[in-house]
Amino acid sequence: MIDFEQGRNDRSPRDAEAARRSQASAEARQRLILAMIDNNARQLRFDSARAGADIEQAGALRDMARDPNDRDAALRFEEVKRRIATLEEEHGRLVTEREWLNRSLMEFTEEAEGPCHERD
């Protein structure tokens, strides 16, 4: 029978510390990947919401073209314009977050490759 506890105790303090750093790095990288998955899911929801808003905007514009005095169409148009502006602000935050996540993941990759794998 293998004594796993004994195997851990046979490590030097330097090896144990390296293993802890490696585990912490792997966990941090995993959190980044999960955050990227979440960001992608929110991007898909944004795309759907934006497409719906574009359809609503086109409908309001069509109704206003048919009857320039259609107050309901004008109100719908203004409402959807506000919603699109809010969606675009949210999209800007998503893009900024995605860029940060991508940079962070690249740093992990470069760090893992080490100095002997420098880019050309």
Side-chain angles (χ1 to χ4, degrees):
M1 182 180 222
I2 299 174
D3 185 356
F4 291 106
E5 207 45 53
Q6 178 63 35
R8 274 190 245 136
N9 291 335
D10 286 346
R11 291 185 193 166
S12 72
R14 184 181 305 165
D15 290 344
E17 180 58 29
R20 280 192 292 277
R21 280 194 313 269
S22 178
Q23 178 68 28
S25 178
E27 289 171 0
R29 186 175 190 280
Q30 183 177 14
R31 284 190 299 274
L32 277 175
I33 291 169
L34 291 173
M36 290 176 86
I37 291 168
D38 177 65
N39 182 281
N40 289 337
R42 287 183 285 138
Q43 177 66 46
L44 290 172
R45 286 191 297 273
F46 163 81
D47 291 343
S48 178
R50 179 58 200 254
D54 287 343
I55 291 167
E56 289 181 53
Q57 184 178 39
L61 286 170
R62 179 202 60 218
D63 293 345
M64 289 181 349
R66 286 182 186 163
D67 181 2
N69 297 319
D70 185 342
R71 180 84 175 124
D72 288 338
L75 290 173
R76 283 194 326 270
F77 179 72
E78 291 304 317
E79 189 337 88
V80 78
K81 274 182 28 181
R82 283 191 296 277
R83 202 163 73 238
I84 288 172
T86 300
L87 285 169
E88 288 303 320
E89 288 175 17
E90 291 173 16
H91 185 251
R93 287 190 292 273
L94 278 173
V95 169
T96 299
E97 178 183 327
R98 183 178 322 109
E99 289 170 352
W100 179 85
L101 289 166
N102 285 335
R103 276 192 312 273
S104 297
L105 190 57
M106 288 300 298
E107 289 171 8
F108 268 100
T109 301
E110 290 169 358
E111 184 177 309
E113 289 176 349
C116 61
H117 289 94
E118 289 186 22
R119 294 178 178 215
D120 296 323

